[in-house]
Amino acid sequence: MVEQSDRAPLLDWEEIPPPDPNQAAQPTPQPPREEDSAAEKSAPTDTAAGTGWSSTAVVVKGDGSPGRTELSGHGWDRPQPLGTDRNAPFPGLSVKDQWEEKDQIVAVFVVTFDTRSGNMIEWCLPHDINLDGVEFKSMASGSHRITSDFIYFRKGGYFGLACFANMPVESELERGARMKSVGILSPSYTLLYRYMHFLENQVRHQLQCPGQYSPLEAFYEDKKAILPPTGNGLVTACPTWSVTNISRCMHPEMKITHPAGCMSQFIQFFGEQIMVLWKFALLRKRILIFSPPPVGVVCYRVYCCCCLANVSLPGIGVSVPELRPFFYINIADISALETELSYVACTTEKIFEEKKELYDVYIDNQNVKTHRSHLQQLLRLTAADKEKYRKLTEQRQLLLYSQEVGEDCTSNEEDLFILFFMELNNRIFQTLSEVAGSADPTLTGEHVRAMGLDPQGDRAFLADLLEVYGFDVTLVIDNLCCP
């Protein structure tokens, strides 16, 4: 098996050979429509239309061990390269994408770098929309050092995706380089990924033919959102998997911000440190990831961090802050972050490291650190953490082997990682719920081991978990010095 690189997929997609025109095209799995979700929630098990996926419930047994969740279907493929239909009205969008899931785009815009004024909005539709700050969100600090990138971000109650490109030019006025970003805003990030090819195509067009906006105008007229008159402007939180929507939402939501293989790259990048990130995510801490450009792949890590905290047990986490994905942030977001209780974000601006009041956990490359003294202990891997990571790695190797020999053509690594952490979280909260509801609400070392945790090494983590989620349980674990 050839490992996927940790590069931004925007760059990798160009290297994929085009599909054989003689082969029948496979239908692209589609994210669920938000208006359809209410009708589908009542089904005990369901099959995602057009995906071939079905599931049984995630069952957590009385002893705290997770039951097996069975998934069946064809799996999900890596996004295809740019479309080759030169007659398409929106080059870069497949024919299927051009007629499905309309009415989702709130704005489309072009941002340019001016040598005298800096980042500025060059053009946008609609003309009266407030895009203050988008010129900095869609062109990350330090982007002048790279040739292309893509960026996910938040703007008020909307999510955005922008594609950036940097082209050398023989112009003294532009100082030898022309830099632009073309982006969109949407009420949800569930559909943004499917427009990435179009945005990449358009930013190149804008670099080569500045001022020609007719394709963007036609795109906006076709895709513009019809919003309810009394929208509350709330930002969609990171998806929370429930028993009944796991097959319907898991893979479409996984496709929200990344292609297949992102979670695999995420865990390979952090290694055993993934277990440290898992604890911070479950405790709803404010997590900030620093990286120099390109920032696209780092936006994927933001999303993957949020996925570590998925729980499918009803009623769990309703009283705790939602783990909100902020994606890319810059200094203009400081005031917004000051009021956030829980988030995951990434930045290319090193100055954030000094703003310790804005975050609990700071990640620089693979280095995870915290300035909160009561969280220091959580940075140390326990024997139980290493054992969980070993099991995760073992399951992954078995899956890769079964795929290589052709025994398993339906499962993929995204299923494995999502279900691994969801079942781990379910086991923990199922045990805590049972103990809290028992005649003797005392959590013993035996309970802790049944949850897959270390009675001594994870004591601080458990104490925080009980406080954050409001479990009325007495934590009693024997001292190491006792026989």
Side-chain angles (χ1 to χ4, degrees), residues 428-448:
I428 290 174
F429 288 115
Q430 181 71 37
T431 303
L432 292 178
S433 297
E434 291 176 353
V435 171
S438 67
D440 181 16
T442 300
L443 195 67
T444 66
E446 184 178 348
H447 291 128
V448 175

Side-chain angles (χ1 to χ4, degrees), residues 35 138 144 212 259 321 340 389 455 457:
E35 59 267 28
S138 57
H144 61 280
Q212 295 187 8
E340 289 294 325
Y389 183 76

Side-chain angles (χ1 to χ4, degrees), residues 304-337:
C304 292
C305 272
C306 290
C307 289
L308 296 175
N310 288 330
V311 180
S312 66
L313 298 179
I316 296 298
V318 294
S319 61
V320 300
E322 292 176 329
L323 193 62
R324 295 181 181 275
F326 255 80
F327 298 111
Y328 176 74
I329 61 171
N330 55 33
I331 57 175
D333 294 300
I334 288 179
S335 60
L337 291 180

Side-chain angles (χ1 to χ4, degrees), residues 27 29 50-53 72-77 409-411:
T51 65
W53 276 95
S72 61
H74 56 62
W76 286 71
D77 298 323
C409 299
T410 62
S411 302

Side-chain angles (χ1 to χ4, degrees), residues 441-444 448 455 458-460 462-463 466 473-477:
T442 300
L443 195 67
T444 66
V448 175
D458 285 321
R459 186 185 182 99
L462 266 173
L466 295 177
V473 170
T474 303
L475 183 58
V476 176
I477 300 176

Side-chain angles (χ1 to χ4, degrees), residues 88-163:
F90 311 125
L93 281 180
S94 70
V95 174
K96 191 176 186 67
D97 284 343
Q98 290 181 42
W99 62 266
E100 287 192 345
E101 303 287 0
K102 295 185 179 181
D103 303 331
Q104 292 294 325
I105 304 303
V106 174
V108 59
F109 56 87
V110 177
V111 168
T112 190
F113 176 77
D114 183 84
T115 54
R116 290 171 296 184
S117 305
N119 295 9
M120 56 185 295
I121 297 174
E122 173 184 313
W123 174 91
C124 70
L125 277 179
H127 298 300
D128 59 348
I129 191 169
N130 179 8
L131 294 179
D132 292 346
V134 164
E135 64 270 31
F136 301 106
K137 293 176 180 289
S138 57
M139 195 178 289
S141 177
S143 293
H144 61 280
R145 302 187 187 96
I146 59 177
T147 58
S148 61
D149 198 6
F150 62 98
I151 306 171
Y152 284 86
F153 59 89
R154 271 176 49 180
K155 163 62 177 170
Y158 301 122
F159 286 94
L161 169 63
C163 285

Side-chain angles (χ1 to χ4, degrees), residues 31 34 152-154 158-160 186-194 235-239 252-253 255-257 303 306 323-325 327:
E34 294 180 1
Y152 284 86
F153 59 89
R154 271 176 49 180
Y158 301 122
F159 286 94
S186 175
S188 168
Y189 58 88
T190 57
L191 296 178
L192 290 177
Y193 76 91
R194 62 165 49 182
V235 174
T236 304
C238 204
E253 296 283 6
K255 300 285 283 187
I256 288 170
T257 56
Y303 173 74
C306 290
L323 193 62
R324 295 181 181 275
F327 298 111

Side-chain angles (χ1 to χ4, degrees), residues 396-409 411:
R396 177 175 176 269
Q397 293 301 325
L398 287 173
L399 174 61
L400 293 177
Y401 175 76
S402 64
Q403 291 175 336
E404 193 168 338
V405 298
E407 293 180 357
D408 187 348
C409 299
S411 302

